[in-house]
PDB file of all heavy atoms in Angstrom:
ATOM      1  N   SER V 477     204.953 -63.025 -93.957  1.00 95.00           N
ATOM      2  CA  SER V 477     204.624 -64.134 -93.058  1.00 95.00           C
ATOM      3  C   SER V 477     205.889 -64.916 -92.721  1.00 95.00           C
ATOM      4  O   SER V 477     206.902 -64.836 -93.417  1.00 95.00           O
ATOM      5  CB  SER V 477     203.601 -65.071 -93.706  1.00 95.00           C
ATOM      6  OG  SER V 477     204.136 -65.661 -94.882  1.00 95.00           O
ATOM      7  N   TRP V 478     205.779 -65.695 -91.644  1.00 98.00           N
ATOM      8  CA  TRP V 478     206.887 -66.537 -91.209  1.00 98.00           C
ATOM      9  C   TRP V 478     206.783 -67.911 -91.856  1.00 98.00           C
ATOM     10  O   TRP V 478     205.678 -68.418 -92.097  1.00 98.00           O
ATOM     11  CB  TRP V 478     206.887 -66.668 -89.690  1.00 98.00           C
ATOM     12  CG  TRP V 478     207.341 -65.412 -89.010  1.00 98.00           C
ATOM     13  CD1 TRP V 478     206.569 -64.337 -88.684  1.00 98.00           C
ATOM     14  CD2 TRP V 478     208.673 -65.095 -88.611  1.00 98.00           C
ATOM     15  NE1 TRP V 478     207.333 -63.361 -88.104  1.00 98.00           N
ATOM     16  CE2 TRP V 478     208.631 -63.797 -88.035  1.00 98.00           C
ATOM     17  CE3 TRP V 478     209.889 -65.759 -88.663  1.00 98.00           C
ATOM     18  CZ2 TRP V 478     209.762 -63.169 -87.526  1.00 98.00           C
ATOM     19  CZ3 TRP V 478     211.022 -65.138 -88.157  1.00 98.00           C
ATOM     20  CH2 TRP V 478     210.954 -63.858 -87.599  1.00 98.00           C
ATOM     21  N   VAL V 479     207.965 -68.499 -92.101  1.00 97.00           N
ATOM     22  CA  VAL V 479     208.048 -69.817 -92.724  1.00 97.00           C
ATOM     23  C   VAL V 479     208.816 -70.738 -91.791  1.00 97.00           C
ATOM     24  O   VAL V 479     209.886 -70.384 -91.289  1.00 97.00           O
ATOM     25  CB  VAL V 479     208.757 -69.740 -94.095  1.00 97.00           C
ATOM     26  CG1 VAL V 479     208.872 -71.134 -94.710  1.00 97.00           C
ATOM     27  CG2 VAL V 479     208.016 -68.791 -95.030  1.00 97.00           C
ATOM     28  N   LEU V 480     208.263 -71.925 -91.531  1.00 97.00           N
ATOM     29  CA  LEU V 480     208.893 -72.908 -90.637  1.00 97.00           C
ATOM     30  C   LEU V 480     209.380 -74.103 -91.446  1.00 97.00           C
ATOM     31  O   LEU V 480     208.609 -74.710 -92.201  1.00 97.00           O
ATOM     32  CB  LEU V 480     207.891 -73.370 -89.571  1.00 97.00           C
ATOM     33  CG  LEU V 480     208.366 -74.481 -88.623  1.00 97.00           C
ATOM     34  CD1 LEU V 480     209.559 -74.022 -87.802  1.00 97.00           C
ATOM     35  CD2 LEU V 480     207.231 -74.923 -87.702  1.00 97.00           C
ATOM     36  N   ASP V 481     210.649 -74.453 -91.269  1.00 97.00           N
ATOM     37  CA  ASP V 481     211.234 -75.619 -91.932  1.00 97.00           C
ATOM     38  C   ASP V 481     212.058 -76.399 -90.918  1.00 97.00           C
ATOM     39  O   ASP V 481     213.275 -76.534 -91.047  1.00 97.00           O
ATOM     40  CB  ASP V 481     212.087 -75.174 -93.120  1.00 97.00           C
ATOM     41  CG  ASP V 481     212.638 -76.346 -93.920  1.00 97.00           C
ATOM     42  OD1 ASP V 481     212.061 -77.448 -93.831  1.00 97.00           O
ATOM     43  OD2 ASP V 481     213.649 -76.160 -94.623  1.00 97.00           O
ATOM     44  N   ASN V 482     211.392 -76.881 -89.872  1.00 96.00           N
ATOM     45  CA  ASN V 482     212.063 -77.662 -88.836  1.00 96.00           C
ATOM     46  C   ASN V 482     211.011 -78.474 -88.090  1.00 96.00           C
ATOM     47  O   ASN V 482     210.255 -77.930 -87.279  1.00 96.00           O
ATOM     48  CB  ASN V 482     212.801 -76.742 -87.866  1.00 96.00           C
ATOM     49  CG  ASN V 482     213.570 -77.509 -86.803  1.00 96.00           C
ATOM     50  OD1 ASN V 482     213.468 -78.734 -86.702  1.00 96.00           O
ATOM     51  ND2 ASN V 482     214.335 -76.792 -85.991  1.00 96.00           N
ATOM     52  N   PRO V 483     210.926 -79.778 -88.354  1.00 96.00           N
ATOM     53  CA  PRO V 483     209.893 -80.600 -87.703  1.00 96.00           C
ATOM     54  C   PRO V 483     210.035 -80.652 -86.182  1.00 96.00           C
ATOM     55  O   PRO V 483     209.061 -80.946 -85.489  1.00 96.00           O
ATOM     56  CB  PRO V 483     210.100 -81.990 -88.328  1.00 96.00           C
ATOM     57  CG  PRO V 483     211.498 -81.974 -88.869  1.00 96.00           C
ATOM     58  CD  PRO V 483     211.767 -80.563 -89.270  1.00 96.00           C
ATOM     59  N   ASP V 484     211.228 -80.360 -85.664  1.00 95.00           N
ATOM     60  CA  ASP V 484     211.401 -80.367 -84.213  1.00 95.00           C
ATOM     61  C   ASP V 484     210.641 -79.229 -83.537  1.00 95.00           C
ATOM     62  O   ASP V 484     210.456 -79.233 -82.319  1.00 95.00           O
ATOM     63  CB  ASP V 484     212.889 -80.247 -83.856  1.00 95.00           C
ATOM     64  CG  ASP V 484     213.658 -81.516 -84.192  1.00 95.00           C
ATOM     65  OD1 ASP V 484     213.023 -82.578 -84.336  1.00 95.00           O
ATOM     66  OD2 ASP V 484     214.895 -81.426 -84.328  1.00 95.00           O
ATOM     67  N   LEU V 485     210.223 -78.240 -84.329  1.00 96.00           N
ATOM     68  CA  LEU V 485     209.447 -77.122 -83.789  1.00 96.00           C
ATOM     69  C   LEU V 485     207.977 -77.224 -84.159  1.00 96.00           C
ATOM     70  O   LEU V 485     207.197 -76.304 -83.881  1.00 96.00           O
ATOM     71  CB  LEU V 485     210.016 -75.794 -84.300  1.00 96.00           C
ATOM     72  CG  LEU V 485     211.457 -75.467 -83.917  1.00 96.00           C
ATOM     73  CD1 LEU V 485     211.857 -74.108 -84.471  1.00 96.00           C
ATOM     74  CD2 LEU V 485     211.655 -75.509 -82.411  1.00 96.00           C
ATOM     75  N   GLY V 486     207.577 -78.345 -84.785  1.00 95.00           N
ATOM     76  CA  GLY V 486     206.187 -78.546 -85.151  1.00 95.00           C
ATOM     77  C   GLY V 486     205.943 -78.227 -86.609  1.00 95.00           C
ATOM     78  O   GLY V 486     206.866 -78.166 -87.423  1.00 95.00           O
ATOM     79  N   ASN V 487     204.680 -77.995 -86.935  1.00 95.00           N
ATOM     80  CA  ASN V 487     204.324 -77.738 -88.329  1.00 95.00           C
ATOM     81  C   ASN V 487     203.546 -76.432 -88.516  1.00 95.00           C
ATOM     82  O   ASN V 487     202.987 -76.189 -89.571  1.00 95.00           O
ATOM     83  CB  ASN V 487     203.514 -78.913 -88.903  1.00 95.00           C
ATOM     84  CG  ASN V 487     202.286 -79.225 -88.052  1.00 95.00           C
ATOM     85  OD1 ASN V 487     201.857 -78.401 -87.236  1.00 95.00           O
ATOM     86  ND2 ASN V 487     201.718 -80.408 -88.230  1.00 95.00           N
ATOM     87  N   ASN V 488     203.495 -75.617 -87.479  1.00 97.00           N
ATOM     88  CA  ASN V 488     202.774 -74.350 -87.551  1.00 97.00           C
ATOM     89  C   ASN V 488     203.747 -73.223 -87.214  1.00 97.00           C
ATOM     90  O   ASN V 488     204.206 -73.099 -86.074  1.00 97.00           O
ATOM     91  CB  ASN V 488     201.588 -74.349 -86.584  1.00 97.00           C
ATOM     92  CG  ASN V 488     200.725 -73.110 -86.708  1.00 97.00           C
ATOM     93  OD1 ASN V 488     201.212 -71.982 -86.621  1.00 97.00           O
ATOM     94  ND2 ASN V 488     199.423 -73.322 -86.897  1.00 97.00           N
ATOM     95  N   ALA V 489     204.070 -72.406 -88.215  1.00 97.00           N
ATOM     96  CA  ALA V 489     205.071 -71.353 -88.027  1.00 97.00           C
ATOM     97  C   ALA V 489     204.636 -70.351 -86.959  1.00 97.00           C
ATOM     98  O   ALA V 489     205.459 -69.894 -86.154  1.00 97.00           O
ATOM     99  CB  ALA V 489     205.331 -70.635 -89.346  1.00 97.00           C
ATOM    100  N   GLY V 490     203.360 -69.984 -86.941  1.00 96.00           N
ATOM    101  CA  GLY V 490     202.877 -69.006 -85.973  1.00 96.00           C
ATOM    102  C   GLY V 490     202.999 -69.489 -84.546  1.00 96.00           C
ATOM    103  O   GLY V 490     203.454 -68.753 -83.657  1.00 96.00           O
TER     104      GLY V 490
END
Side-chain angles (χ1 to χ4, degrees):
S477 63
W478 287 86
V479 178
L480 175 62
D481 184 22
N482 183 354
D484 289 340
L485 298 181
N487 55 17
N488 185 306

